Amino acid sequence: MTQQSESTTTTTSTGAEDPAPFSPLSSSLSSPTFVPGAGTPLAEPRPLGERRVWPRSFADRLTAPLPGLRGFARFAREGALRPGPEGLADIPRLPYEPGPLPRVDARTVAVSWAGHASWVVRIGGLTVLTDPVWSRKILGTPARVTPVGVAWSALPRIDAVVISHNHYDHLDAPTLRRLPRDTPVFVPAGLGRWFRRRRFSHVTELDWWEAAELHPRGGAAGASVEGGGGRRAGVRLDFVPAHHWSKRSLHDTCRTLWGGWVLTAADGRRVYFAGDTGYGHWFSHIGARYPGIDLALLPIGAYNPRWWLSDVHCDPEEAVRATQDLGARRMAPMHWGTFVLSAEPVLEPLTRVRTAWEKAGLARENLWDLPVGASKVLN
């Protein structure tokens, strides 16, 4: 396995002015510059919409080599990307309990699970969508086995979208076409061109450990809204590493970066969205740089067969271990119960994560094992 350093790839900005009509947050959101107890400075927020030049490939960021011809040959002999009939028999039992989105203000942190890696995150007076996939079917994958948990028509105005990487179950063009083209989107390095070709006008690309800031736009939730402690509402968005990869066509393997997002409100509360990731050293690094994570949204599905998927997908026990490495107070499982992407029985991720959580001696109320469509408010 290749151990990666924490330094980011040097990139060059074209010097283009920020086209987004949002002013930076008050300095209270960015300070202190140094993470308490970690000794590692956080990056100064980058300009929104900055045009940058990126490397042609990010393959040097891989934690482990991608499977070669021998691995594909083994998979052809014995691999399976779908459970057998017994493993599919529990589809009717998958938890699905859609409900109304909670009422929020600038001091509220709330999450609603739409399914897979798609969350409606309310934080710092903003509504943020993570990896939005509202389509019934995605390329190369059977149709979703649970409906979308949050109706598109029920969504409030979307203030930002964060994307973890470009795989089709995380970057869904039909869903993104539903958004106004001036929606701010925050994406991994190299992925901005994909959005600009689709006429999105406020696109911010970040490398690992880089950040941007955003505050609400106008109206009742505008810049005058104050969060906890009298500070202005808004969110700092940090892009952080993940053990994964990227590919969307035959010829673009690792041409764009992959990662997760740490969303920090002005009052210091934090939500970590892992995107898609295997288990490894990055979790403890993220926890050290961003102490006090209140909630970790972590993937627990698409893990069998392990010899094929362990480098890029956590299993439930690893997700619990990652929560501890992060120092997160709570965990909400995701990336299961929506699309059948691998060979484990459809209900197994939920039963295994509950068992692993109990064995770790963690408080049951801090495992937010939500049904698809359910919400939870952070007190």
Side-chain angles (χ1 to χ4, degrees):
M1 295 181 69
T2 305
Q3 186 83 1
Q4 300 298 318
S5 70
E6 291 190 24
S7 61
T8 58
T9 297
T10 301
T11 60
T12 304
S13 170
T14 63
E17 292 185 1
D18 173 18
F22 310 114
S23 58
L25 292 168
S26 62
S27 60
S28 63
L29 189 60
S30 305
S31 301
T33 302
F34 284 84
V35 180
T40 304
L42 293 183
E44 289 296 321
R46 299 197 69 96
L48 298 176
E50 180 183 19
R51 298 292 187 109
R52 305 172 68 180
V53 177
W54 299 105
R56 182 172 174 80
S57 172
F58 293 93
D60 63 317
R61 308 291 186 90
L62 291 169
T63 306
L66 296 174
L69 291 177
R70 185 172 298 179
F72 281 101
R74 178 181 173 185
F75 186 75
R77 290 195 310 270
E78 61 186 64
L81 283 181
R82 191 169 174 85
E86 290 185 2
L88 294 172
D90 283 327
I91 286 177
R93 297 178 56 207
L94 289 171
Y96 177 73
E97 298 177 14
L101 295 178
R103 296 176 63 87
V104 301
D105 60 25
R107 295 174 296 278
T108 305
V109 176
V111 294
S112 304
W113 190 31
H116 203 53
S118 301
W119 293 86
V120 184
V121 181
R122 321 289 287 282
I123 183 171
L126 301 179
T127 298
V128 181
L129 291 186
T130 70
D131 289 0
V133 179
W134 261 248
S135 297
R136 179 177 173 271
K137 196 175 187 305
I138 55 176
L139 184 67
T141 301
R144 59 197 309 150
V145 294
T146 50
V148 179
V150 180
W152 190 264
S153 60
L155 292 172
R157 182 180 65 185
I158 303 306
D159 297 293
V161 172
V162 297
I163 300 295
S164 64
H165 65 299
N166 70 355
H167 287 162
Y168 281 87
D169 58 323
H170 295 259
L171 180 64
D172 182 51
T175 299
L176 292 164
R177 279 199 293 269
R178 299 185 182 193
L179 292 165
R181 294 305 187 270
D182 63 349
T183 303
V185 292
F186 297 84
V187 303
L191 196 52
R193 181 181 300 178
W194 189 93
F195 281 87
R196 294 186 185 101
R197 283 203 304 263
R198 288 156 179 82
R199 301 193 306 279
F200 282 89
S201 55
H202 301 141
V203 183
T204 301
E205 297 174 89
L206 297 178
D207 203 339
W208 287 350
W209 309 120
E210 291 184 341
E213 290 181 350
L214 191 68
H215 70 72
R217 299 175 288 174
S224 63
V225 174
E226 293 189 347
R231 287 170 289 187
R232 295 174 69 187
V235 175
R236 175 181 165 116
L237 306 97
D238 287 73
F239 189 55
V240 295
H243 301 276
H244 206 62
W245 63 305
S246 69
K247 184 179 179 67
R248 200 167 172 87
S249 69
L250 291 175
H251 306 292
D252 68 349
T253 302
C254 297
R255 294 286 180 86
T256 64
L257 198 51
W258 53 90
W261 294 90
V262 176
L263 309 180
T264 305
D267 63 6
R269 287 188 291 178
R270 281 188 166 133
V271 174
Y272 165 60
F273 168 67
D276 205 353
T277 182
Y279 178 77
H281 62 284
W282 287 131
F283 294 115
S284 58
H285 292 210
I286 293 166
R289 287 206 187 203
Y290 307 96
I293 293 171
D294 294 282
L295 174 64
L297 309 175
L298 284 164
I300 66 167
Y303 51 79
N304 270 348
R306 290 312 284 153
W307 68 265
W308 178 258
L309 294 170
S310 63
D311 290 327
V312 293
H313 287 163
C314 289
D315 65 24
E317 293 78 16
E318 290 170 336
V320 173
R321 199 180 318 154
T323 303
Q324 296 173 300
D325 293 349
L326 289 161
R329 298 183 177 97
R330 303 164 189 84
M331 170 192 170
M334 64 174 182
H335 205 272
W336 77 280
T338 307
F339 297 105
V340 178
L341 300 175
S342 57
E344 72 271 4
V346 293
L347 259 182
E348 182 181 278
L350 180 61
T351 58
R352 280 178 56 173
V353 79
R354 287 173 172 171
T355 299
W357 194 265
E358 181 180 3
K359 285 185 176 179
L362 301 172
R364 181 63 182 85
E365 64 268 20
N366 290 335
L367 178 61
W368 288 11
D369 46 348
L370 301 179
V372 175
S375 302
K376 195 90 169 176
V377 177
L378 183 67
N379 295 319

